[in-house]
Amino acid sequence: MDVTDFPDDLVQTQAAWNATYQALAAPRPRDITALRRRLLLLSVRLWWHPYWETVPSVPAARSELRHLARAHGAVRAA
């Protein structure tokens, strides 16, 4: 699967999910309730994105999306 197949909004949503998860996992996070709500909202957006209806192997594509979003996060942090 080519990484360019993912819509930009889907990659951005996964990156936001990763960032929110990291913020929630940090020691003594602030505003835990808001972070949990945001994580839930982003999870729903990821799960029900229309892109998944076009992919033959959804589990593999979801895994690749997570890896792609992590790589983009690492590039931004560098």
Side-chain angles (χ1 to χ4, degrees), residues 8-54:
D8 288 336
D9 67 321
L10 187 57
V11 175
Q12 291 171 357
T13 303
Q14 182 66 55
W17 189 96
N18 291 348
T20 304
Y21 186 87
Q22 289 299 321
L24 192 57
R28 300 178 138 200
R30 293 184 178 203
D31 206 1
I32 294 172
T33 301
L35 288 171
R36 286 182 178 173
R37 286 180 180 159
R38 179 159 172 75
L39 196 64
L40 181 59
L41 173 71
L42 292 169
S43 295
V44 169
R45 286 183 185 168
L46 284 170
W47 188 261
W48 294 108
H49 195 281
Y51 173 77
W52 302 122
E53 296 175 12
T54 67

